[in-house]
Amino acid sequence: MEFELWWLLALPITFALGWLASRLDLQQWRREGEIRRDAPVAYFRGLNFLLSEQQDKAIDAFIEAVTADPNTVDLHFALGNLFRRRGEYERAVRVHQNLLSRADLPAAERQRAQVALAQDFFKAGLLDRAESVYTALTTTPYQPEALAALLQIHERTKEWPRAIDIAGQLERLGAGSYGRQIAHYWCELALQHQQAGDLPAAQDALDRAMQAQPQAVRPWQLRAALAIQSHDPQRALDNLRHIAQIQPDFTALVALEMARLFQELGQSEEGRAWLITQLQGYPAIDLLDAVLQLENDASERYHLALGYLQTHQSLLAARRILDQASSPISPEPARLALAQALDGAMKSRQRYRCAACGFEARNYTWHCPACQGWETYPPRRTEELQLIAP
């Protein structure tokens, strides 16, 4: 093997190139180290402020950290979340839109920024813009979260067909059972058809509600309303009596309407006996009122109310005693004073309370306006719940 002269030149050239590369790497490392030293200080200072609930100072620290290193994605998310928590939705939107405007943002971080932006729009009440972003996310790994948010949006905007479709998609994804919600969506759709005068469409929607949730009470209640509208009181009564078969606890909600239908059909005696049976098995003040409505004898009404009061010592039952003409309470001023005292005490007790969030409503409602839950109200008023609690 012959020795060539250029080999002697290659050695110093290789050494020079290596030395130059090492110097460049060292300078780059130093620059990155300066950034890493600056950004974490502000970042951790912001965390300390956040933990001590000093959000204004935390935001200032995070802004400083983002300014020191604009490429730090997590800092942007932290800052945007802080703005959203404080209700500064416009600033949160700007932070997340700034992230999305970066061409070098990885796909996973881009999707994460889209989720955050959709949350900003949703919290700000810009439901149409939130819906647009969440719809785009349904083809990403965030699909379940996006669909759940879209379901809330469609509930708020009362777009029941779209809510039914989204709930079905969530069920197929294995996100849980949505039969109860779907049944209520069909009921809401039936009410829209009823108000528009399209009774066949309303009936079809109720049939679909019962397919979605066979044990649902509300479709039978609405079917009774349709029968009344069609001047068919017997069919209405049959629909309401069916409620006692599937969920007898809910009979109290329709008891007064049933008493009226029994009277209209000339079945007061039969209705009174049937309602008394329900009252014995599932005591509720509305069932008692329905029985009293069908009882013509004043003395018997008083004894029915007194018997209920002796078994279920509630202010509501006591008030029914005072309402009876044959009440032996005397003199009249004392009777009126007692009635006024009972009325005042009952104001906070004759409400329905949501079992999910505790929100109270004067009238029974199928949809809690506070937590947005469906069928979360027990069919008894708060005082009665306290009496039957173990």
Side-chain angles (χ1 to χ4, degrees):
M1 184 177 181
E2 296 182 1
F3 177 80
E4 296 185 13
L5 181 63
W6 67 270
W7 287 5
L8 296 175
L9 298 175
L11 290 173
I13 292 174
T14 303
F15 176 78
L17 290 174
W19 179 82
L20 181 61
S22 66
R23 295 294 298 174
L24 292 174
D25 289 342
L26 181 61
Q27 291 177 4
Q28 178 67 21
W29 181 83
R30 285 177 177 172
R31 284 196 297 271
E32 291 178 354
E34 290 174 358
I35 292 176
R36 284 194 296 268
R37 283 194 301 271
D38 291 339
V41 170
Y43 178 71
F44 288 119
R45 189 165 65 249
L47 285 179
N48 287 331
F49 286 133
L50 191 59
L51 291 173
S52 59
E53 299 184 358
Q54 300 181 62
Q55 293 191 6
D56 290 332
K57 293 182 178 180
I59 286 176
D60 292 339
F62 284 139
I63 291 176
E64 179 185 343
V66 170
T67 304
D69 186 7
N71 295 323
T72 305
V73 174
D74 286 333
L75 289 178
H76 283 78
F77 283 120
L79 188 58
N81 290 339
L82 264 179
F83 284 142
R84 189 191 312 124
R85 287 176 56 187
R86 286 168 54 87
E88 299 180 52
Y89 304 121
E90 185 176 350
R91 299 179 75 182
V93 166
R94 286 204 303 268
V95 169
H96 295 129
Q97 285 181 333
N98 179 58
L99 269 178
L100 290 170
S101 67
R102 288 173 47 178
D104 62 337
L105 194 65
E109 298 297 341
R110 182 172 298 278
Q111 293 167 2
R112 183 183 170 194
Q114 285 179 302
V115 172
L117 181 62
Q119 291 173 345
D120 297 337
F121 288 144
F122 185 85
K123 289 291 187 180
L126 303 173
L127 299 184
D128 55 338
R129 301 181 71 177
E131 180 182 352
S132 177
V133 180
Y134 277 126
T135 301
L137 287 166
T138 56
T139 57
T140 71
Y142 291 94
Q143 183 186 27
E145 181 179 341
L147 289 175
L150 286 171
L151 188 61
Q152 294 185 53
I153 292 173
H154 296 325
E155 280 192 2
R156 292 193 181 188
T157 55
K158 301 185 184 302
E159 297 175 282
W160 306 117
R162 301 182 73 177
I164 292 168
D165 177 62
I166 295 296
Q169 292 185 52
L170 284 166
E171 272 200 337
R172 289 190 290 274
L173 286 174
S177 174
Y178 285 81
R180 175 180 294 180
Q181 290 94 317
I182 292 173
H184 282 289
Y185 299 156
W186 280 116
C187 288
E188 293 290 339
L189 199 55
L191 285 173
Q192 291 181 354
H193 291 314
Q194 182 185 16
Q195 291 168 2
D198 191 349
L199 299 189
Q203 183 62 58
D204 180 67
L206 293 178
D207 291 342
R208 292 176 179 269
M210 287 185 284
Q211 291 173 8
Q213 185 74 2
Q215 295 298 109
V217 169
R218 194 182 181 193
W220 291 97
Q221 184 184 23
L222 293 178
R223 286 184 68 173
L226 289 181
I228 292 172
Q229 190 172 348
S230 302
H231 307 289
D232 191 347
Q234 184 61 59
R235 182 159 59 92
L237 182 58
D238 292 341
N239 286 324
L240 294 180
R241 291 182 74 162
H242 187 77
I243 293 174
Q245 298 178 23
I246 55 175
Q247 292 201 51
D249 216 26
F250 280 81
T251 309
L253 293 179
V254 296
L256 290 172
E257 181 64 19
M258 293 182 72
R260 188 190 67 77
L261 289 170
F262 278 124
Q263 287 177 323
E264 182 178 346
L265 292 167
Q267 302 174 11
S268 295
E269 287 299 320
E270 176 189 345
R272 177 180 173 279
W274 188 86
L275 288 169
I276 286 177
T277 301
Q278 300 301 312
L279 180 64
Q280 291 170 348
Y282 301 91
I285 198 67
D286 291 313
L287 270 169
L288 174 63
D289 287 341
V291 171
L292 296 177
Q293 184 174 318
L294 295 178
E295 178 56 62
N296 295 322
D297 185 81
S299 177
E300 184 62 24
R301 284 199 305 268
Y302 173 75
H303 286 96
L304 283 169
L306 180 59
Y308 187 88
L309 177 61
Q310 290 172 338
T311 310
H312 308 88
Q313 298 176 355
S314 70
L315 290 175
L316 294 170
R319 190 65 178 86
R320 298 309 185 271
I321 294 289
L322 296 176
D323 289 336
Q324 305 310 312
S326 60
S327 174
I329 296 177
S330 61
E332 187 65 15
R335 180 182 181 277
L336 291 177
L338 180 57
Q340 292 172 354
L342 286 172
D343 287 337
M346 284 192 302
K347 286 183 179 179
S348 62
R349 293 173 173 263
Q350 56 187 359
R351 296 175 178 270
Y352 295 94
R353 179 181 298 157
C354 175
C357 69
F359 187 82
E360 293 185 354
R362 179 172 298 177
N363 299 316
Y364 187 86
T365 178
W366 296 99
H367 188 214
C368 179
C371 69
Q372 305 299 312
W374 289 96
E375 209 170 311
T376 55
Y377 282 85
R380 284 185 174 83
R381 292 178 174 86
T382 54
E383 184 192 14
E384 295 178 305
L385 287 175
Q386 294 169 2
L387 289 173
I388 64 176

